[in-house]
Amino acid sequence: MLTYDVDFWSIRKRAGRPKPWELRWRVGEQSHSRSFKLKTQAEGRQSQLMAALRDRQRFDEETGLPEGELTARNSPSWYEHVTEYALMKWPRAAAKHRASIAESLAVVTPTLVTTKRGAPSAAVLRAALYQWAFRAVRGPEGTWVSRHVVEEPPAEIRAALEWIAAHSIKVKALEDPALLRPALDALTLRMDGSKAAENTTRRKRMVLSNVLRYTVEEKGLLTANPLHRVDWAPPESDDEIDFRYVPGPAVARALLGAVRDSGPRGEHLHAFFGCLYYAAMRPGEIVALKESDCTLPPNTPEAVKEWGELLLGESRPEVGGGWTDEGTSYEKRGLKRRKRGATRTVPIPPVLVHLLREHIARYGTADDGRLFRAARGGRVPSTEYCGVWESARKAVLPPGEVKSKLAEVPYSLRHAGVSLWIKSGVDPAEVAARAGHSIAVLYRFYAKILKGGQQHSNNLIARVLDEEDRP
């Protein structure tokens, strides 16, 4: 029971004892005492208790401690707290978001410790937290529990978890916001120490902010969110795409041809890569594409130059079997950053119409109508299409450029497709709509190309103004 009914007695000396100086006080009906070797120690502790009373802190009758000290004593460690948070979020979170929470907490948690002495290697500790502490599995009773509770981890992982459990700071210690600065700095770095992308830093910081808001508002373990009191901003970085490594139209078409000519899997995935380039689709959207999503013009000589249309409403991004309820390496979800059930229409040029029609005629569809399947059925994994892409790069690019970042990953074709639209003079709002971007994201990533089109826009405006000035 908490009360303001507190009295202090004079410090007394009890001769013949190892700690002769005794501090005594009463809280409600309970008497409390503590002994010290030196009188100054007893006086100092008495001053602390009296200062707490002057600060209008209530005292706990059972322990004799002021409210602030009682809260700190009962505070869970940061590691305990965020493990509970990850389990709380797990049932309702999408697989990608589960992995994002685990990744962010695995970066922050090693910085919030009382000492670095005896710490395991950064890689081992990161793996222990990401794969075992903040990843949930079904327990014997069907509830979600941390993976290491059900499965026996390797010895080094077990040791790392024991170390972080023993040395994690108390949540209450974060009343000092300065303790968060190393955690925030860690969010800006990759494992190798290089600078992380601004978007990655922003996403991880959002997870930390949400954890701290939960700490304050739902758990009541802190009086205020300390993140708001830290004078910190992430290092400036450039999220713009480096267009030196985005293939132009000629190289993109050559790479598509090399994919087709690389063998049976390349032939099957030719239209897959065509969707990346000509429709600027994301890989997760392409693997979910069904025949019913495709509106193709008639296969007649008269319609050979007509455009088709794709209606996208589903994505199957890869995430890893440990993060999905079904244990699959991907999750079924709606379009990125859109409400569930939302769709996006993408007009497709005749060249992609031809690729898709040819693909359907030759390979048919999966039982659920999907156009693209893995060699053994199921979703096309990134390892499969990345392997085909690497073979195509080696066939098209000179040896020096193969080692460069030019068209380094299949996603480069999506960048190439969006860049082609912008350079063709398509309105940025239309480009964003077709690509599934917001206008803000489009301008952040494609700013250089968009600025390059300003002169063309200026010329159009000037032409109209000149016409108005003519008599």
Side-chain angles (χ1 to χ4, degrees), residues 157-302:
I157 296 294
R158 174 66 68 188
L161 293 175
E162 291 174 352
W163 184 89
I164 195 70
H167 298 95
S168 181
I169 67 171
K170 295 283 190 180
V171 171
K172 188 64 178 178
L174 291 176
E175 292 287 4
D176 178 4
L179 294 177
L180 283 175
R181 192 173 297 278
L184 290 167
D185 290 341
L187 296 180
T188 67
L189 302 175
R190 297 176 178 172
M191 276 292 289
D192 61 5
S194 60
K195 186 168 62 175
E198 182 180 342
N199 195 46
T200 301
T201 299
R202 188 182 301 111
R203 171 175 55 81
K204 292 178 179 178
R205 188 184 184 280
M206 181 62 69
V207 171
L208 176 60
S209 178
N210 289 341
V211 172
L212 291 170
R213 189 172 69 239
Y214 167 78
T215 305
V216 175
E217 297 178 3
E218 291 195 37
K219 304 301 289 185
L221 298 174
L222 294 171
T223 56
N225 190 336
L227 199 58
H228 300 154
R229 294 183 285 152
V230 183
D231 183 15
W232 181 91
E236 291 186 5
S237 61
D238 188 358
D239 272 352
E240 288 185 31
I241 296 164
D242 192 335
F243 291 99
R244 294 175 298 172
Y245 305 121
V246 174
V251 175
R253 287 194 296 268
L255 287 166
L256 287 173
V259 165
R260 179 196 58 221
D261 298 337
S262 64
R265 285 310 295 163
E267 292 175 355
H268 180 85
L269 294 174
H270 187 205
F272 176 99
F273 285 99
C275 289
L276 263 174
Y277 181 54
Y278 294 114
M281 294 170 66
R282 298 180 176 91
E285 297 167 346
I286 301 173
V287 298
L289 185 66
K290 298 179 180 179
E291 184 177 11
S292 59
D293 301 327
C294 307
T295 301
L296 306 180
N299 188 15
T300 63
E302 296 77 19

Side-chain angles (χ1 to χ4, degrees), residues 437-452:
H437 279 315
S438 67
I439 290 289
V441 168
L442 185 75
Y443 272 89
R444 190 166 80 240
F445 285 93
Y446 295 89
K448 289 185 175 70
I449 294 181
L450 288 163
K451 290 176 182 176

Side-chain angles (χ1 to χ4, degrees), residues 386-436:
C386 284
V388 171
W389 182 251
E390 190 56 34
S391 297
R393 289 183 75 246
K394 291 177 180 178
V396 170
L397 303 180
E401 291 185 345
V402 170
K403 297 178 181 179
S404 74
K405 294 183 178 180
L406 176 61
E408 186 176 29
V409 293
Y411 209 86
S412 301
L413 280 182
R414 172 171 157 85
H415 294 319
V418 174
S419 301
L420 177 66
W421 296 346
I422 295 172
K423 289 179 179 178
S424 300
V426 180
D427 182 84
E430 177 65 14
V431 172
R434 294 188 182 198

Side-chain angles (χ1 to χ4, degrees), residues 57-108:
Q57 289 190 40
R58 294 174 298 174
F59 278 57
D60 177 54
E61 192 168 353
E62 182 178 349
T63 64
L65 297 177
E67 196 169 5
E69 292 186 21
L70 183 65
T71 301
R73 172 182 285 190
N74 295 334
S75 173
S77 72
W78 173 260
Y79 170 68
E80 293 170 335
H81 177 59
V82 293
T83 299
E84 177 189 316
Y85 174 83
L87 291 174
M88 180 274 295
K89 296 289 287 185
W90 188 277
R92 293 170 296 281
K96 277 279 189 181
H97 189 45
R98 291 171 176 174
S100 179
I101 290 173
E103 180 189 14
S104 304
L105 296 180
V107 171
V108 167

